[in-house]
Amino acid sequence: MNLVIDIAVTHVRSRLRQTLVGLLGVAMGVGFSVMMASLMEGSQRDFVSQLVDSLPHITMNDERRSPPRQPAEDAFDTIAISGLRTPETRPGIKNPYAIMAELEGWLNGAVAPSVETRAVIRYAGRDTAASVIGVDPRRERYVSKLPTQVRGGDLDALYKSSNAIIIGDKLAQKIGARIGNTIALASGRGEVMSCTVVALFHSGIAQSDETQAYTLIKTAQILAGQTGIINAMRIRVADIMQAMSVAGRIEAQTGYKSVSWQEANEDLLSAFEIRNFIMYTVVGAILLVASFGTYNIISTITHEKTRDIAILKSLGFTEGTVRRIFLIEALLIGLAGTVLGWVLGYALCSLLGTIEFKSPFMDATHLPLYYTPKHYALAALVALTASAIAGYLPARKAARQHPVEIIRGAS
Amino acid sequence: MTANAGASPVIALKSVTKTIGDGVVTTLVRDIDMSIFPGEFVSITGPSGSGKSSLLYLLGLLDVPSSGDVFIQGQPVNKLDERARAHMRLSLIGFVFQFHFLLPEFTALANVMLPMRALAELDQHAMQERARTLLASLGLHDHMNKLPGQLSGGQRQRVAIARALANTPKVILADEPTGNLDSKSSEQVLAIFRRLVDETGSAIVMVTHDLELAERADRHVRIVDGRIV
Ligand SMILES: Nc1ncnc2c1ncn2[C@@H]1O[C@H](COP(=O)(O)OP(=O)(O)OP(=O)(O)O)[C@@H](O)[C@H]1O
Ligand SMILES: [Mg+2]
């Protein structure tokens, strides 16, 4: 065996108890880090997938990001235009079915038309604002999880009666309506329409469950008072990470504002970034604390081994060789601790995975954990780096000692 | 000593002075000129605190002079860096101290192999063979696999001598190697040194308090107050 490794191994082996303590320190650091990372990323992924899966990945609507050029600007060198007003009704997407066909030509995913409008639901003497979305049930199943979220019926129930409506379960609870009840929808222009609740839906996202309702496109068009209008396209892509670039392409092609799930949930995603930052800080701190144990051990060993260091140097060992001996000792502790920490981390994750939670606010009964070699590699990297630094400092000090002074002191 | 008068010295000191301290300066060694020739057995004596050990550390490149030059085989070493000096110690010089200075966790055999492994000129098998031969020639056949803690003082000192000889050094520097030994063990050590000088042509510099032993060397140097007298 290599001489340096041989001496290093002998040193750590002859201090079994100290070595074990240091090793356990690193192991716990690595173990808890792995567990925490798995938990944090697990819950984040769980949340994102719930969020992303239940809604279309991209929504294109009839707005534009910047106001359209006015004909006057094309005709004259106009400096400023004032007094323009937004039209009171939504303009709708021009030639929606042509656009859909065009998008379907290249898109790896699906497109479905929809009409978004707002209404006030009147039931049992109470008024509740709701957003009503007119969908095409045959196409909707390819762009959102809505068909699977319908309770007490299915999406095709919308065809079963004229003016059929599916409302969020929380909304139904709020107004006290049940399946089969007839509710009144008042449009912005004051016209009232009677609709029959044919089913409920539960998306798990409180905001939609409390405020949304689905009808057929035709029903929503009548409610909006705009026959034939389509004002939003619901789009799903095969690879959710591509949503942002696909949205950009759609927008460039059609000129209509296309919002990807990433853009729609920007605040949430940036909150995740902060959360991740906090997580990595805490994980780093845990491992740093663990490395203090290693520092302590290597310090102690170099102190106890002052005489041996002087001997080795008097024999002709270089400073570099002496330094390497103690550095390797620290890395041995770090390495063994890391491997043990991996086992510990995996065990902790498995244990957490078996715990059941019963909460009225959550659908999940188990902690969402995410397993990836990345967490293990990252914890190992930090642990080994910390060990190397923890070993290097005392090793450098030890290697610099002047052998003469020690030899004088000892003889 | 006269036999080697024509050869070039293994180690030479030219007006070497060693002082320590910044404010209160202590002079350990004062303006020493000294040459050690191959196959020469030199003894150094002097009162306690006269600078014998300090001189030995300078000869063995463990310490650097404050002024003056040190030559190893004619080459000036003052300008060499730490690595080069370490390598010279490893390949050319063997130290024996009053205290054995063996690594406590390694067996006698492993301790003797240490310098050979560091120099890495022989293969594992040849190293082991050489270490065994050395230990055997010092009468330690039965103690090769013992730890230093399981050996007597004289045995440890012989292991230390075997280790000093491991890389066939050109010069052995011994600082009171018999200081902790009884007269019988001391005799053994002296016989080993004598045999070494006569058989291998290595040089030996031995610091001792024992005048009778010192007189049996080829040349006897006396130090008082850091000076050769
Ligand atoms: N670090 C130091 N600080 C101050 N004085 C020192 C130091 N090291 C050595 N000395 C002094 O230098 C002088 C020479 O010391 P050295 O060890 O060379 O003597 P020595 O001849 O080997 O003595 P001994 O026979 O007792 O071993 C002594 O007077 C000692 O006190
Ligand atoms: Mg001395």
Side-chain angles (χ1 to χ4, degrees), chain A residues 136-152:
Chain A
D136 176 350
R138 274 164 312 212
R139 285 178 175 272
E140 188 62 22
R141 73 183 80 253
Y142 302 111
V143 299
S144 77
K145 285 271 163 72
L146 182 61
T148 65
Q149 293 165 351
V150 176
R151 306 278 187 269

Side-chain angles (χ1 to χ4, degrees), chain A residues 110-171:
Chain A
V111 191
S114 72
V115 181
E116 292 172 354
T117 184
R118 300 195 55 77
V120 173
I121 296 178
R122 268 188 204 142
Y123 184 72
R126 255 183 294 173
D127 284 6
T128 309
S131 76
V132 178
I133 302 170
V135 296
D136 176 350
R138 274 164 312 212
R139 285 178 175 272
E140 188 62 22
R141 73 183 80 253
Y142 302 111
V143 299
S144 77
K145 285 271 163 72
L146 182 61
T148 65
Q149 293 165 351
V150 176
R151 306 278 187 269
D154 56 23
L155 201 57
D156 288 338
L158 286 177
Y159 293 120
K160 283 192 185 138
S161 60
S162 58
N163 294 351
I165 192 167
I166 295 176
I167 61 175
D169 60 350
K170 292 236 170 69
L171 180 61

Side-chain angles (χ1 to χ4, degrees), chain B:
Chain B
M1 58 173 183
T2 41
N4 297 299
S8 59
V10 201
I11 307 179
L13 303 186
K14 292 273 183 301
S15 30
V16 164
T17 296
K18 175 73 185 175
T19 57
I20 54 167
D22 297 323
V24 188
V25 176
T26 313
T27 305
L28 310 186
V29 164
R30 224 178 283 264
D31 197 24
I32 295 235
D33 284 296
M34 187 179 195
S35 295
I36 311 293
F37 292 93
E40 193 181 28
F41 188 166
V42 181
S43 65
I44 299 177
T45 57
S48 184
S50 55
K52 307 182 293 294
S53 296
S54 307
L55 178 61
L56 218 58
Y57 301 149
L58 288 165
L59 285 169
L61 311 185
L62 271 186
D63 213 347
V64 281
S66 309
S67 68
D69 293 307
V70 180
F71 298 86
I72 299 281
Q73 296 185 316
Q75 191 192 348
V77 296
N78 285 4
K79 296 255 153 49
L80 294 181
D81 66 5
E82 189 259 344
R83 281 173 59 98
R85 295 156 63 85
H87 189 262
M88 278 192 160
R89 269 204 305 279
L90 191 60
S91 55
L92 300 174
I93 298 164
F95 269 105
V96 182
F97 301 100
Q98 179 175 357
F99 188 76
H100 64 82
F101 271 162
L102 299 173
L103 297 191
E105 296 102 342
F106 288 82
T107 62
L109 191 70
N111 263 289
V112 175
M113 285 174 68
L114 221 58
M116 301 188 220
R117 291 174 69 183
L119 191 62
E121 276 180 355
L122 301 175
D123 65 39
Q124 186 71 20
H125 183 75
M127 288 184 204
Q128 195 142 7
E129 269 317 293
R130 175 161 171 75
R132 281 179 193 285
T133 313
L134 277 172
L135 284 168
S137 74
L138 296 174
L140 294 164
H141 320 262
D142 303 330
H143 309 288
M144 301 200 188
N145 295 316
K146 288 187 181 168
L147 294 172
Q150 300 165 324
L151 296 169
S152 75
Q155 288 166 339
R156 281 181 218 158
Q157 197 58 296
R158 278 181 281 157
V159 175
I161 292 171
R163 188 179 61 186
L165 299 178
N167 288 332
T168 22
K170 293 280 180 273
V171 58
I172 308 270
L173 303 172
D175 196 353
E176 302 185 39
T178 60
N180 284 334
L181 303 182
D182 61 16
S183 55
K184 184 163 164 280
S185 300
S186 302
E187 276 305 324
Q188 266 183 330
V189 168
L190 202 75
I192 292 163
F193 282 175
R194 175 48 66 194
R195 206 173 70 214
L196 197 70
V197 169
D198 294 345
E199 286 174 8
T200 67
S202 295
I204 290 185
V205 181
M206 179 179 76
V207 171
T208 179
H209 274 122
D210 188 332
L211 275 179
E212 196 261 327
L213 286 185
E215 294 300 337
R216 284 156 61 184
D218 300 332
R219 180 152 62 105
H220 176 191
V221 176
R222 227 184 119 63
I223 305 264
V224 176
D225 231 2
R227 272 184 234 272
I228 298 180
V229 295

Side-chain angles (χ1 to χ4, degrees), chain A residues 1-3 6-7 10 14-15 305 307-308 311-319 402 404 407-408 410, chain B residues 28 54 57 62-63 82-83 86-87 89-90 95 97 99 101-106 114-115 117-118 163:
Chain A
M1 207 198 315
N2 180 294
L3 177 57
D6 196 1
I7 297 177
T10 309
S14 62
R15 274 158 201 74
K305 288 292 166 196
R307 215 181 59 193
D308 289 23
I311 300 169
L312 293 174
K313 288 182 83 174
S314 78
L315 287 178
F317 280 56
T318 60
E319 277 185 22
H402 210 326
V404 167
I407 291 167
R408 266 188 208 284
Chain B
L28 310 186
S54 307
Y57 301 149
L62 271 186
D63 213 347
E82 189 259 344
R83 281 173 59 98
H87 189 262
R89 269 204 305 279
L90 191 60
F95 269 105
F97 301 100
F99 188 76
F101 271 162
L102 299 173
L103 297 191
E105 296 102 342
F106 288 82
L114 221 58
R117 291 174 69 183
R163 188 179 61 186

